[in-house]
Amino acid sequence: MTADSRLFGTFPDYLVEAMDKDGLALHAHTYSISKETFNSSKGLREFMKITQTDVWNRPSDGKDIEFIASMEGIDYPIFTTMYHPEYQLMDYLGE
């Protein structure tokens, strides 16, 4: 995650580390944007910044596919996420 993110910047360090290393986030979607697509789109690069990526292991061939899990607007308060962290986060916090 990006430390200077307006969305994740307020998260406590232990939670950021757990999200990064312990797989707290459930990815429940089948469509995403790759870093390659992001980097080839001038409009996306000028409007959004990547705040988190993740890797999906494709079962058919075992290939790791890196995808964008969250972005935020550079100049506008627009945030996107690809997952529902509340599901496993509640378990992690014991709620």
Side-chain angles (χ1 to χ4, degrees):
M1 279 185 234
T2 303
D4 66 347
S5 166
R6 287 176 282 176
L7 179 64
F8 297 114
T10 62
F11 282 32
D13 291 340
Y14 75 90
L15 183 56
V16 171
E17 184 176 337
M19 288 180 73
D20 188 41
K21 304 222 182 316
D22 297 338
L24 291 183
L26 168 66
H27 297 278
H29 305 280
T30 55
Y31 298 103
S32 63
I33 183 170
S34 68
K35 283 186 66 177
E36 180 181 353
T37 298
F38 178 89
N39 289 329
S40 68
S41 172
K42 182 180 180 215
L44 276 174
R45 288 192 325 268
E46 290 178 352
F47 191 79
M48 304 293 284
K49 80 173 178 179
I50 298 170
T51 55
Q52 186 180 34
T53 61
D54 205 343
V55 176
W56 172 66
N57 184 268
R58 186 168 50 201
S60 62
D61 62 5
K63 181 178 179 183
D64 285 339
I65 310 292
E66 185 175 24
F67 63 92
I68 297 172
S70 66
M71 297 186 290
E72 65 184 35
I74 295 170
D75 296 317
Y76 299 95
I78 298 172
F79 304 93
T80 67
T81 61
M82 182 72 181
Y83 55 88
H84 299 278
E86 67 273 14
Y87 297 125
Q88 292 179 333
L89 179 57
M90 296 307 251
D91 288 338
Y92 182 77
L93 296 175
E95 296 179 13

